[in-house]
Amino acid sequence: MTLNYISVNSYKNRLHHCKMTDERNFRSSYYEKVGCRGVEEKKSLEILMKEKPWDKVKLKQFCLRFTVPAAYRNLVWKVLLDILPVYPDSHQFVMEQRTEQYQDLLYAVEKFDFVSTDAPRTQVLFEMWLLENEERKPPLFPETNFSSAETFIPIVNTLLELYDDEVDVYWLAKSLTDVVRNMQRELPKLKEAFITMLEKEDGDVFNHLVDINAMEVLPLTKWFNCCFAGILDDTSLTKIWDKVCSGAPKILSFAAVMLVITLRRNILRSKHSDEVLKCVSQIPEQCEEVVANKAIELWQYYGAQPQNDTLAKK
């Protein structure tokens, strides 16, 4: 009998690894068993948030190890992405300044008719971002010639589903786009990591993709540059973005691996590369959370370390 997405030996090794490294205390295990997983993690985060100033290194370590509780995610992301400082007493003042800048940009794009008053909110925010960057057309990332619009717009669409405050949406989208821009030189490494891990985790799928020349059609650049926005559902994405905001964009390679492996049955049935492309473009809704969870599990198994701290900075 074979497992769907990992070899038996790999699975056994992973179980052994989990047993050897599981340092959770009895109470944490109990909470998880009775369905209250995350209670201890939430308490740990609250302790970190009581420090003055916040220790960003510890905050990143927390986000790399755990999923950020939804109630705190917005605030934690804004600190990790330097939208807010590590001094909690300054948060209100800084956010007021961010709001004023947002309002100025919004007034300008409407005043100069850069966007119609009934335009979709995504388009309005995009025009504001272009104006702030003194651009009239979406700039291309120089290393890859990838349009920044294909990064900013999908990310905004996802954030609008997550948060009601468009000021937060704008600043988070702007900062995540900066992360992606700074990530461009690392794309070859992310793709190399994807190929290496796919071959190791599911040799059958890897060999099949190579045999039908389908490896080249996988939209890896698109997946990485939109951080899977519009590819995975909003709830699943937040778990991935916790790691991206913490300076670990390599999680995107693991997400790509698990997406392909999760769709292995249809991929193995594909006889041509265009069939593979169609397959990975039509992800069943019930698979999306599986992809995110398994990607994080695989990433943690391989070390769960930040790839490059500078990637998370503007």
Side-chain angles (χ1 to χ4, degrees), residues 194 198 202 205-206 209 218 220 223 254-265 267 276 279-280 291:
F194 164 81
L198 180 60
D202 197 324
V205 169
F206 174 84
L209 290 173
L218 293 176
L220 295 177
W223 289 347
F254 291 87
V257 168
M258 292 316 307
L259 190 156
V260 170
I261 291 177
T262 301
L263 300 174
R264 73 186 311 274
R265 180 178 299 178
I267 289 176
V276 171
C279 174
V280 298
V291 170

Side-chain angles (χ1 to χ4, degrees), residues 159-198:
L159 290 170
L160 285 171
E161 294 295 323
L162 293 172
Y163 303 118
D164 295 327
D165 190 334
E166 288 189 8
V167 176
D168 286 344
V169 169
Y170 176 77
W171 284 101
L172 287 169
K174 167 184 163 65
S175 298
L176 283 168
T177 301
D178 287 340
V179 169
V180 173
R181 178 190 292 116
N182 293 331
M183 191 177 76
Q184 294 304 292
R185 293 181 181 178
E186 303 295 327
L187 284 185
K189 293 182 180 179
L190 294 182
K191 293 178 180 179
E192 182 180 347
F194 164 81
I195 292 172
T196 300
M197 284 185 291
L198 180 60

Side-chain angles (χ1 to χ4, degrees), residues 106-125:
L106 178 60
Y107 174 81
V109 296
E110 292 178 346
K111 179 71 173 179
F112 295 106
D113 295 326
F114 290 159
V115 64
S116 62
T117 55
D118 59 347
R121 299 312 298 170
T122 299
Q123 187 61 35
V124 174
L125 294 173

Side-chain angles (χ1 to χ4, degrees), residues 254-288:
F254 291 87
V257 168
M258 292 316 307
L259 190 156
V260 170
I261 291 177
T262 301
L263 300 174
R264 73 186 311 274
R265 180 178 299 178
N266 290 336
I267 289 176
L268 290 174
R269 290 175 179 171
S270 301
K271 297 181 179 180
H272 305 285
S273 60
D274 57 340
E275 294 177 16
V276 171
L277 181 59
K278 182 179 180 180
C279 174
V280 298
S281 301
Q282 299 175 344
I283 307 170
E285 185 175 344
Q286 66 271 20
C287 293
E288 294 176 353

Side-chain angles (χ1 to χ4, degrees), residues 218-234:
L218 293 176
L220 295 177
T221 299
K222 175 184 176 181
W223 289 347
F224 296 157
N225 278 347
C226 69
C227 299
F228 285 91
I231 311 299
L232 300 178
D233 68 277
D234 308 332

